[in-house]
């Protein structure tokens, strides 16, 4: 059923979630778990810790330490319930472009006078090189500050080992 729906709507987690009556985060997990979809997935908690990583070629997900603070994954944490879409070009030699969908939702039971635990989910969909033109490359982002070549990044937390001044 999922493959037939994707053939009809393309990979649109919001439309697919409505079709199947599940949350957008659940649909993102289902899309990433289907081997023939070739999608990556990252899940983070409210503290920014990466809880789950499913890599996709060309999109570097750090195993240790923090990820790029500019990823839509972290933007979603400040906008629970919204579904965000961003086209991203990963900095580096691969020159890969991805469509990223992100959402955040509360986890666990609701309790009085306690902020809910939040979990953000980001689906990473590779864009075929023929599908993106010169003006459709997306925002350049890296994997983590330490190994990012983007100069003048407003989110940089530490110097890059790839910069001239290191």
């Amino acid at each position: 059923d999922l493959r037939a729906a994707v053939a009809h709507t393309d990979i649109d987690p919001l439309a697919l979630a409505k079709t199947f009556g599940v949350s957008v985060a659940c649909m993102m997990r289902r899309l990433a778990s289907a081997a023939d979809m070739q999608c990556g997935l990252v899940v983070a908690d409210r503290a920014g810790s990466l809880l789950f990583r499913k890599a996709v070629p060309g999109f570097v997900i750090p195993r240790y330490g923090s990820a790029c603070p500019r990823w839509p994954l972290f933007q979603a944490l400040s906008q629970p319930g919204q579904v965000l879409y961003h086209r991203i070009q990963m900095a580096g030699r691969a020159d890969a472009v991805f469509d990223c969908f992100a959402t955040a939702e509360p986890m666990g039971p609701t309790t009085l006078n306690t902020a809910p635990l939040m979990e953000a989910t980001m689906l990473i969909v590779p864009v075929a090189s023929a599908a993106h033109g010169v003006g459709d490359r997306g925002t350049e982002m890296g994997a983590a500050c330490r190994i990012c070549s983007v100069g003048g990044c407003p989110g940089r937390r530490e110097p890059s080992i790839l910069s001239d001044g290191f």
Side-chain angles (χ1 to χ4, degrees):
D1 290 344
L2 178 60
R3 286 175 185 78
V6 167
H8 181 20
T9 66
D10 206 11
I11 297 181
D12 179 350
L14 187 58
L16 292 167
K18 288 178 185 175
T19 299
F20 291 103
V22 297
S23 72
V24 176
C26 178
M27 182 50 60
M28 289 179 182
R29 291 188 299 269
R30 287 184 185 176
L31 287 165
S33 68
D36 56 335
M37 299 288 176
Q38 302 295 318
C39 296
L41 188 78
V42 180
V43 179
D45 65 10
R46 192 169 59 185
S49 296
L50 300 184
L51 306 174
F52 181 83
R53 301 161 181 83
K54 180 185 182 256
V56 62
F59 194 99
V60 179
I61 303 171
R63 289 184 188 213
Y64 307 103
S66 58
C68 176
R70 297 176 60 217
W71 284 1
L73 175 74
F74 302 114
Q75 183 181 353
L77 284 167
S78 67
Q79 302 173 53
Q82 278 198 299
V83 180
L84 306 175
Y85 162 78
H86 292 281
R87 181 159 279 185
I88 293 175
Q89 177 184 358
M90 285 301 284
R93 289 180 281 198
D95 200 30
V97 177
F98 301 90
D99 285 337
C100 294
F101 299 88
T103 191
E105 57 187 19
M107 302 304 296
T110 302
T111 57
L112 191 61
N113 293 332
T114 304
L117 294 176
M118 299 299 292
E119 197 170 89
T121 305
M122 183 172 76
L123 181 71
I124 306 159
V125 182
V127 176
S129 58
H132 54 81
V134 174
D136 200 17
R137 308 282 306 156
T139 304
E140 189 177 26
M141 295 183 192
C145 291
R146 195 89 174 136
I147 57 170
C148 181
S149 61
V150 176
C153 178
R156 186 167 301 283
R157 290 183 300 266
E158 62 182 313
S160 172
I161 61 173
L162 304 176
S163 68
D164 292 333
F166 186 74

